[in-house]
């Protein structure tokens, strides 16, 4: 007589009965004690208690005074949470905060020099590149890197490189005009 092949259920039951399941399989990550991590945000070194599953977006909004970064879709589809990590634009909702240790994080609050706005920020105001303003921090953060990377050769190129940032109000023509203006003032 052939022995009965074990099922996944019987194997997991046996392992659970023996008490040899790894701690991370028994206890959800939120129940684990947080780890103190040093993050450098807008030039400030902050020590934050972080769980392994904490996103950079949640760490910024819930544990720091840098709440300008917005939570839009929380799935990486809208771009409202765009920040810079080591000069690259990144979606904070898809980035684990613990992965940002020893990296330079810049949020919308870190763009201006005191009361002096960056050209991109001033251009958004001048061209009404915002309506409700919810997506504006992410739009501006994307535009800064887009200009630095030189992707402003045409309105079509600007639209393509800004396509990861959604404006539900439909201020796209004004956003493109603001990016074009900021890019031309940088060249001039």
């Amino acid at each position: 007589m052939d022995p009965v092949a074990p099922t996944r259920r019987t194997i997991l039951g046996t392992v659970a009965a023996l008490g040899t399941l790894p701690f991370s399989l028994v206890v959800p990550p939120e129940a684990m004690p947080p780890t103190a991590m040093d993050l450098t945000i807008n030039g400030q070194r902050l020590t934050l208690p972080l769980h392994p599953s904490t996103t950079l977006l949640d760490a910024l909004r819930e544990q720091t005074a840098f709440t300008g970064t917005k939570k839009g879709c929380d799935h990486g589809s809208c771009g409202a949470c765009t920040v810079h990590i080591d000069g690259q634009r990144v979606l904070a909702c898809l980035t684990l905060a613990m992965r940002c240790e020893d990296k330079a994080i810049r949020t919308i609050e870190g763009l201006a020099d005191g009361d002096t706005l960056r050209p991109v920020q001033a251009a958004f105001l001048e061209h009404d590149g915002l309506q409700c303003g919810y997506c504006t921090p992410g739009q501006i953060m994307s535009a800064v890197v887009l200009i630095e990377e030189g992707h402003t050769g045409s309105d079509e190129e600007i639209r393509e490189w800004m396509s990861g940032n959604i404006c539900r109000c439909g201020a796209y023509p004004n956003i493109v005009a603001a990016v074009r203006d900021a890019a031309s003032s940088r060249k001039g």
Side-chain angles (χ1 to χ4, degrees):
M1 182 179 201
D2 291 328
V4 176
T7 65
R8 180 177 181 272
R9 183 180 302 265
T10 59
I11 291 172
L12 287 176
T14 303
V15 170
L18 296 174
T20 57
L21 276 177
F23 183 72
S24 62
L25 292 178
V26 178
V27 178
E30 302 81 37
M32 296 171 65
T35 303
M37 301 289 290
D38 290 328
L39 298 181
T40 304
I41 305 168
N42 300 328
Q44 296 179 30
R45 193 147 179 94
L46 303 173
T47 302
L48 304 175
L50 299 173
H51 290 283
S53 61
T54 302
T55 64
L56 178 58
L57 176 61
D58 288 338
L60 290 169
R61 294 197 52 81
E62 297 170 11
Q63 298 183 38
T64 75
F66 304 116
T67 58
T69 304
K70 302 300 183 213
K71 184 179 274 198
C73 66
D74 210 22
H75 297 289
S77 300
C78 72
C81 66
T82 304
V83 297
H84 300 165
I85 298 179
D86 290 339
Q88 300 295 312
R89 53 185 159 170
V90 174
L91 298 172
C93 73
L94 297 181
T95 304
L96 292 175
M98 295 182 102
R99 305 264 321 192
C100 299
E101 192 171 40
D102 300 323
K103 298 180 189 285
I105 302 163
R106 184 166 53 173
T107 67
I108 190 72
E109 294 92 345
L111 283 184
D113 183 14
D115 290 337
T116 306
L117 297 177
R118 282 185 76 125
V120 174
Q121 292 170 304
F124 265 72
L125 289 173
E126 182 180 331
H127 292 278
D128 289 327
L130 56 119
Q131 286 185 26
C132 78
Y134 198 82
C135 72
T136 306
Q139 296 278 358
I140 290 173
M141 296 302 285
S142 284
V144 167
V145 174
L146 166 101
I147 292 168
E148 289 172 359
E149 292 173 345
H151 299 295
T152 57
S154 67
D155 287 359
E156 292 76 28
E157 185 177 20
I158 292 169
R159 279 193 287 276
E160 175 67 27
W161 284 91
M162 291 292 291
S163 65
N165 293 82
I166 296 172
C167 173
R168 288 174 176 86
C169 299
Y172 295 116
N174 301 1
I175 291 169
V176 171
V179 173
R180 184 182 346 103
D181 186 36
S184 67
S185 70
R186 184 173 191 247
K187 293 175 186 173

